[in-house]
Amino acid sequence: MSSDCLFCRIVAGELPAAQVYSDSAVVAIRDIAPQAPTHVLLLSRKHIPSVRDLTEADGADVSALFAAAARIAAQEGVSPGGYRLVVNVGRDGGQTVDHLHVHLLGGRPMAWPPG
Ligand code: AMP
Ligand code: ZN
């Protein structure tokens, strides 16, 4: 855990969040500024700053994020219609919080290409 990391503090329960799911590797919360009717953030429990920092040793954490995303999408009722998973990486990728997370967006049709 990194004490100056917003998402580490949410994972640790030090800051409030609307939690929708939790397991041994993942905590999922509702995004504070939703961009779709369903907008859930899946946070790794482990502090990994970004995809740029991933190594083979993080394989279980990454697979847990995607498996949890599929479960939450079903739970939220967006699985049959489809949804989008987004991972922003670095400044040009639009990443604003340096703690690995996956956006789950659903409940409306998604445009392509993304902005
Ligand atoms: P990213 O820009 O990919 O790093 O995503 C960060 C996301 O975190 C943004 O969609 C923000 O709206 C969201 N966010 C920031 N602070 C909070 C918070 N306290 N609780 C929930 N979501 C947050
Ligand atoms: Zn962190």
Side-chain angles (χ1 to χ4, degrees):
M1 142 135 198
S2 169
S3 56
D4 57 357
C5 170
L6 173 69
F7 287 171
C8 277
R9 296 188 67 197
I10 288 175
V11 166
E14 291 177 13
L15 291 176
Q19 191 173 303
V20 298
Y21 175 87
S22 162
D23 65 28
S24 61
V26 177
V27 172
I29 62 172
R30 297 208 185 275
D31 196 291
I32 205 167
Q35 303 300 311
T38 293
H39 189 171
V40 171
L41 293 176
L42 293 100
L43 319 178
S44 59
R45 283 192 180 271
K46 194 196 287 183
H47 179 80
I48 301 165
S50 95
V51 166
R52 286 192 288 226
D53 303 292
L54 286 172
T55 72
E56 298 291 333
D58 303 311
D61 298 278
V62 173
S63 70
L65 285 168
F66 281 90
R71 288 183 65 174
I72 295 164
Q75 195 175 289
E76 295 282 318
V78 298
S79 196
Y83 53 93
R84 181 166 289 171
L85 301 178
V86 173
V87 182
N88 296 325
V89 184
R91 184 194 55 202
D92 284 356
Q95 185 175 6
T96 59
V97 180
D98 291 334
H99 177 122
L100 184 65
H101 57 283
V102 176
H103 295 256
L104 165 55
L105 297 148
R108 65 167 171 84
M110 298 291 152
W112 192 264

